[in-house]
Amino acid sequence: MAVVSFKCPNCGGELVFDPNTQSYSCPYCNSEFSQEQIDTMQKENQPSQETSEAADSAKGQEQEEAAVYVCPSCGAEIVTDPTTAATECYYCHTPVVLSGRVSGEYLPQQIIPFSIDRKKAEEIFLENMKKKKFVPHGFFSAKQIEKMNGVYFPYWMVDWRGDASMEAEATKVRTWRTGDTEYRETQFYRVYREGNVEFDDMPKIALQKANRKLVEGVQPYDQKAVKPFSMGYLSGFQAERRDLEKEAFGAEIARDTEQYAKRVLENDMRGYTTVRPVHQQVGNRQERWRYALVPVWTVTYKGRNGKIYYYTINGQNGKVCGELPVDYKKLSLVSALITGVVFLLGLAGGFLL
């Protein structure tokens, strides 16, 4: 997680990215700054480059270095700015300690900024909790909501280009009736399709953790909102560092694109009663990978059984996904009430009989 600090040039307060205005605001003097102004301030604050071997080696790296903290409780890797000495793990709320630096290769190329602020995220969360009758009150208490975090999660975004072909056996079946006799005619065809297939912005979450399904569950994101990465967008939020490189997705991308290509080619084989592919080929694969961060509001809760429960909200469109704890006392009371009502109805029915 990165808690990045940008100082207000007017009063020295910390600037925070505002999802509503898509600008930076100072809570102390109410000043507002655009992304262009932040970029200009960053350039002005950069130290002058020296003609030394160290400066030459740093030339190809990003200007903002980060540091890694490792949670001693759950093992989550959390990215922070270099000046952070301690922070809190958003998975389990455990204090974490510095373990090392992150090289420039871990800095993203793109980012989808938060469009939903904390207030709106809390409203979405509470509105959904109203529909959940057997969730412990502690899961959506005021103290628990205070722990809600806006987190940028790491994704590999893949653009794929390739040639695909498919050969299939197809049939056309025609039935008709003459008098009392029904006729059925089946025509058999050999169908062939080929063409160029393109898939843009295929998302692959770059995390190994088990709860990655909850982050995937709030997909999709509107890719039209993608911005070139700037550390300023992280101001007021946190960010998770990737722990999966693109090489880890080679087989998965090949499988996905073959399935997508099959679907595209089959959809083009219209007008037949049945279509059965007998041969498919995908070649001339070309891939373009981009490392990006996407916004998620997260809520975590430690149940009485010691299990950590997660609830996530898409920071762009408000889609929710989560694993909820169950208050078995509430559940048992309702079960007992239903049993009692059924018993009383049974007695009343027996008396009437």
Side-chain angles (χ1 to χ4, degrees), residues 209-226:
K209 299 179 180 65
N211 72 319
R212 65 199 299 259
K213 291 183 179 179
L214 296 181
V215 182
E216 292 173 335
V218 296
Q219 288 279 354
Y221 287 86
D222 182 2
Q223 296 299 321
K224 294 179 182 178
V226 167

Side-chain angles (χ1 to χ4, degrees), residues 248-317:
F249 298 97
E252 189 174 335
I253 289 293
R255 183 185 68 246
D256 288 349
T257 51
E258 286 177 6
Q259 290 176 349
Y260 297 156
K262 178 182 178 182
R263 195 178 308 160
V264 169
L265 294 173
E266 282 184 330
N267 288 340
D268 194 59
M269 297 179 179
R270 295 183 293 270
Y272 298 96
T273 306
T274 64
V275 175
R276 187 178 71 86
V278 294
H279 180 70
Q280 178 182 339
Q281 185 172 352
V282 177
N284 296 326
R285 303 170 186 265
Q286 298 178 19
E287 300 171 2
R288 185 169 77 95
W289 295 74
R290 303 178 310 285
Y291 180 37
L293 297 181
V294 301
V296 180
W297 286 101
T298 68
V299 179
T300 61
Y301 176 77
K302 189 172 184 178
R304 291 185 177 181
N305 56 0
K307 181 179 179 180
I308 302 296
Y309 294 88
Y310 306 95
Y311 196 84
T312 54
I313 303 171
N314 185 309
Q316 184 187 49
N317 58 36

Side-chain angles (χ1 to χ4, degrees), residues 35-206:
Q35 181 64 52
E36 291 74 17
Q37 290 173 302
I38 293 295
D39 291 340
T40 300
M41 284 190 284
Q42 281 185 268
K43 291 178 182 178
E44 291 175 352
N45 291 332
Q46 282 183 19
S48 58
Q49 295 254 347
E50 297 179 1
T51 55
S52 63
E53 290 183 4
D56 291 336
S57 63
K59 235 179 206 181
Q61 296 184 357
E62 297 288 342
Q63 65 194 35
E64 301 108 341
E65 279 293 334
V68 173
Y69 293 75
V70 174
C71 175
S73 178
C74 69
E77 285 190 327
I78 303 161
V79 183
T80 68
D81 68 299
T83 61
T84 302
T87 186
E88 183 180 78
C89 174
Y90 72 89
Y91 282 111
C92 61
H93 310 300
T94 300
V96 291
V97 295
L98 179 66
S99 67
R101 300 277 176 180
V102 176
S103 64
E105 65 182 291
Y106 288 103
L107 291 173
Q109 298 162 281
Q110 296 178 334
I111 190 169
I112 297 179
F114 275 88
S115 299
I116 294 175
D117 62 10
R118 170 178 285 275
K119 181 180 179 181
K120 181 63 176 176
E122 290 177 359
E123 291 175 359
I124 293 172
F125 177 67
L126 291 174
E127 185 63 31
N128 277 274
M129 288 304 102
K130 289 179 182 178
K131 306 171 185 176
K132 313 298 181 183
K133 303 301 182 184
F134 303 111
V135 174
H137 181 267
F139 185 72
F140 53 91
S141 65
K143 183 179 179 180
Q144 178 67 13
I145 292 176
E146 287 178 2
K147 298 178 181 178
M148 179 179 286
N149 287 307
V151 183
Y152 284 103
F153 280 86
Y155 269 80
W156 287 109
M157 309 302 292
V158 189
D159 295 338
W160 187 91
R161 304 287 184 271
D163 300 330
S165 63
M166 177 184 288
E167 188 175 355
E169 295 175 347
T171 65
K172 285 185 179 181
V173 179
R174 184 170 70 97
T175 60
W176 69 95
R177 180 178 292 275
T178 301
D180 295 332
T181 304
E182 183 178 274
Y183 297 91
R184 179 186 181 91
E185 177 187 73
T186 301
Q187 296 178 322
F188 297 88
Y189 297 87
R190 200 78 170 179
V191 185
Y192 183 81
R193 295 287 188 276
E194 67 177 9
N196 299 321
V197 185
E198 300 181 359
F199 305 109
D200 292 327
D201 300 314
M202 291 190 296
K204 298 296 177 184
I205 185 169

